[in-house]
Amino acid sequence: MTFGLDVLAELTRLSGVVVLATAVARGLLDGGPRNPFAFILPGTALLAVGCVLVLVATIAPIASRLEEPVLALALEYFQTTSHGPQLLTPILPAIYALLLAEGLRIADAPGFRRGLYWMLAATVVAMLALMAASGHVAVTEWDHIGMFLQIVHMAAAVAWVAIVLALLPRLWSGQPVAGELTRIGNVALALVIILIVTGIASAWLHGATLPWPLAEDYGRLLLLKTAALLLALAAAGWNRFIELPAAGVHETRVRSVLGFEAVVLLLALLLAAWLTRTPPP
Ligand code: HEM
């Protein structure tokens, strides 16, 4: 299992989407930061840089085989194939996200701001759809169903990670998190169920059925992802069913478990980017 430039490139653009989704989660949870550009600008920059790196990383092995300059070949690939431009299309909704950020910077009415955050959420889903469209799913037999499953899977995953990351500022500033965790409990549970069902179905469409084919890199990465999911689920479940219902909520314990869940979910995202750049069986 090689962790090459292409995985780093995929992780960069996925991180950009997660930063934007975290801005949405903060906006819907507590009205969001006064200046949303603090999140949306780095998010769109990471996504744009990541998309260009994915294009370069896709061409790099061919360029080294042909002993040709990689940037010239990447430009030629962009100009002469349909896949080249497809790798950069997620940048388009990112530009729209910047316009929404400007709207959020000047808008005061809470209802209107909330509407803008839902528009930003739809923009994030559009980015995920365009990322999925240039991935493995496009070459599977059931590409349309596969695309739908992949987009729902990615949206559920990114939403879960964004909700947890949106609570971290509370963690660092010493504000209580137990109330917020109770408030979002059912949403998080629904996201996890959707994530597992669409993940297993998407793996099946890529030729990987349970038990995961451990002789293949793809199968081993799926196993690691499943382990990360179960660990994050155990942490979320511990807070939800043990700590939060307790008579006296132990805020410090709730916070360390939430911090642990955040770290495991970030690890799962790294594994997801790696899986997406690994050939399916
Ligand atoms: C039961 C556990 C899981 C299974 C079976 C699963 C399966 C899959 C499959 C088959 C893909 C498509 C890979 C490809 O293009 O070939 C995928 C992509 C993805 N998965 Fe999962 N997954 C699981 C858990 C998770 C978790 C816990 C997260 C994150 C919190 C996650 C986030 C993602 C993301 C973001 C992608 C798309 C990555 C990209 O395109 O950059 N998955 N997953």
Side-chain angles (χ1 to χ4, degrees), residues 91-141:
I91 299 176
L92 299 173
I95 297 166
Y96 181 60
L98 291 174
L99 294 177
L100 289 173
E102 179 56 17
L104 283 163
R105 194 179 62 75
I106 52 181
D108 278 330
F112 184 59
R113 286 175 62 82
R114 212 172 160 74
L116 288 175
Y117 274 114
W118 279 115
M119 286 166 74
L120 187 59
T123 311
V124 167
V125 174
M127 290 172 204
L128 293 172
L130 293 168
M131 284 168 66
S134 59
H136 294 141
V137 76
V139 289
T140 57
E141 195 190 329

Side-chain angles (χ1 to χ4, degrees), residues 3-159:
F3 186 96
L5 172 68
D6 58 339
V7 179
L8 207 59
E10 187 67 35
L11 189 59
T12 307
R13 69 173 183 172
L14 194 54
S15 311
V17 178
V18 169
V19 171
L20 290 166
T22 306
V24 174
R26 287 226 30 214
L28 298 177
L29 279 175
D30 59 19
R34 188 58 250 150
N35 174 13
F37 277 103
F39 269 85
I40 296 175
L41 210 51
T44 48
L46 274 171
L47 180 98
V49 169
C51 286
V52 174
L53 283 179
V54 166
L55 173 63
V56 173
T58 304
I59 293 303
I62 306 166
S64 72
R65 261 204 312 280
L66 300 174
E67 293 172 359
E68 292 218 20
V70 64
L71 290 182
L73 207 60
L75 189 60
E76 191 187 329
Y77 187 74
F78 177 79
Q79 288 165 335
T80 58
T81 68
S82 60
H83 187 237
Q86 220 179 4
L87 292 173
L88 300 189
T89 48
I91 299 176
L92 299 173
I95 297 166
Y96 181 60
L98 291 174
L99 294 177
L100 289 173
E102 179 56 17
L104 283 163
R105 194 179 62 75
I106 52 181
D108 278 330
F112 184 59
R113 286 175 62 82
R114 212 172 160 74
L116 288 175
Y117 274 114
W118 279 115
M119 286 166 74
L120 187 59
T123 311
V124 167
V125 174
M127 290 172 204
L128 293 172
L130 293 168
M131 284 168 66
S134 59
H136 294 141
V137 76
V139 289
T140 57
E141 195 190 329
W142 311 43
D143 50 359
H144 296 309
I145 297 174
M147 270 291 285
F148 175 74
L149 283 172
Q150 179 92 356
I151 297 166
V152 174
H153 180 73
M154 291 166 82
V158 167

Side-chain angles (χ1 to χ4, degrees), residues 178-205:
E180 283 300 311
L181 276 181
T182 311
R183 191 156 75 97
I184 56 160
N186 290 337
V187 176
L189 189 60
L191 289 173
V192 172
I193 294 167
I194 294 169
L195 179 78
I196 296 172
V197 172
T198 52
I200 294 172
S202 187
W204 177 73
L205 279 179

